[in-house]
Amino acid sequence: MTSTPNAPDRASSHKFSWAVFAGMLLFAALFVNQTVGALPGLVAVHFDESGQATSFMEASRYRIFILLFTIVLPIVLVAVMASAYSRAKEMKLPNRDYWLAPQRIARTRSFLVAHGSGSGPCWSD
């Protein structure tokens, strides 16, 4: 792949993506950790159609569940998107022959991974 004078360095853009993704995960973890402390000892976690609580969870278990949900789920989604796009050869794209040409396919995959995972890191080199 040839570089152009005004093209951003892929390695530095990947570092930026990693930093943004890690920052978002850190912010989510800190936010959850701070706000769960204000909850009562038992937290309603399921409601029926009339809005009545039908299931409860201890606040300490709720904290663990929510932390796992807010940290592990985004990591899994980014990994799935990166894995799918980094190995894909038969993608349905407008102007497919242009974007999947041998000289552009790595950059196309990197772009799709970065944007498909919502500012997550590009793992497709």
Side-chain angles (χ1 to χ4, degrees):
M1 185 170 123
T2 61
S3 63
T4 58
N6 295 330
D9 180 20
R10 282 181 53 189
S12 65
S13 67
H14 290 236
K15 289 178 185 177
F16 178 73
S17 293
W18 273 109
V20 169
F21 187 66
M24 290 169 59
L25 289 177
L26 180 63
F27 174 77
L30 291 173
F31 180 78
V32 167
N33 202 36
Q34 291 296 317
T35 57
V36 169
L39 295 173
L42 279 179
V43 180
V45 294
H46 188 267
F47 301 86
D48 63 15
E49 60 276 351
S50 65
Q52 297 298 316
T54 59
S55 183
F56 297 87
M57 185 183 291
E58 294 176 14
S60 59
R61 292 185 69 203
Y62 181 77
R63 177 190 310 259
I64 293 168
F65 171 76
I66 294 297
L67 281 172
L68 287 174
F69 189 76
T70 57
I71 295 171
V72 174
L73 181 63
I75 290 171
V76 168
L77 290 175
V78 167
V80 167
M81 294 294 289
S83 176
Y85 283 136
S86 67
R87 291 176 178 80
K89 293 180 184 171
E90 296 294 324
M91 294 183 248
K92 293 184 179 181
L93 296 171
N95 302 316
R96 181 185 173 283
D97 293 335
Y98 176 82
W99 293 113
L100 299 181
Q103 67 270 26
R104 283 183 211 86
I105 193 164
R107 201 154 194 211
T108 300
R109 288 175 176 165
S110 181
F111 176 86
L112 290 170
V113 170
H115 288 81
S117 58
S119 79
C122 296
W123 294 344
S124 61
D125 281 338

